[in-house]
Amino acid sequence: MSDPNGLIQPGRTAPGFAVPATPDGALLGPEQFRGRPVVLAFYPADWSPVCGDQMSLYQSAAPVFAQYRAVVLGISVDGIWSHRAFAESRGIEFPLLADFEPKGEVARSYGAYMSNGEAARALVVLDPTGTVTWSYLSPPDVNPGADGIFDALDRLAADRKVMAG
């Protein structure tokens, strides 16, 4: 469930989903990564300059995400073949999920779907139990970077240390 004003808010249970991740039809969603933080990076379209830069940034930050044991999942309404070509051209190794049919269903469930038929540029961090811990809606033409994600992952790591201590 999303906030009536838009993007899903912290404290809510993340809606479950499984959508195509590969051309052979393999389905993937955050539930498959329970026990680890998950970063959902919604973006408008493969091949746009801002989206390419944003997804490439997350790929270059893969070692940092690994330190948190965090999984990054890119999500747009593009089809799986577009994702595959886009990932190969940009050297992206994390999964790009096709919210293609029904178009935008996952983005809608997170409050990250725009009236033009694209996913919004939105970031959602899930804790290891699947609860939203941070969300951010960026202007469509602005790369939100990774600082907000890393701040959220820092808070999660600190919370786990407090609970373990």
Side-chain angles (χ1 to χ4, degrees), residues 57-72:
L57 170 67
Y58 300 155
Q59 181 59 48
S60 68
V64 180
F65 287 117
Q67 290 173 357
Y68 292 102
R69 296 191 63 245
V71 175
V72 177

Side-chain angles (χ1 to χ4, degrees), residues 23 46-47 56 80-94 96:
D46 293 340
W47 308 107
S56 294
I80 200 64
W81 290 104
S82 177
H83 282 335
R84 184 176 185 180
F86 176 65
E88 287 176 1
S89 77
R90 298 300 295 237
I92 296 167
E93 297 175 5
F94 60 87
L96 298 179

Side-chain angles (χ1 to χ4, degrees), residues 42-46 48 51 54 75-78 114 117-121 140:
F42 292 93
Y43 65 100
D46 293 340
S48 76
C51 295
Q54 180 185 2
I75 307 169
S76 83
V77 299
D78 292 302
M114 299 186 301
E118 296 175 336
R121 190 173 312 283

Side-chain angles (χ1 to χ4, degrees), residues 20-33:
T22 63
D24 67 4
L27 302 178
L28 198 60
E31 294 83 4
Q32 291 158 281
F33 300 101

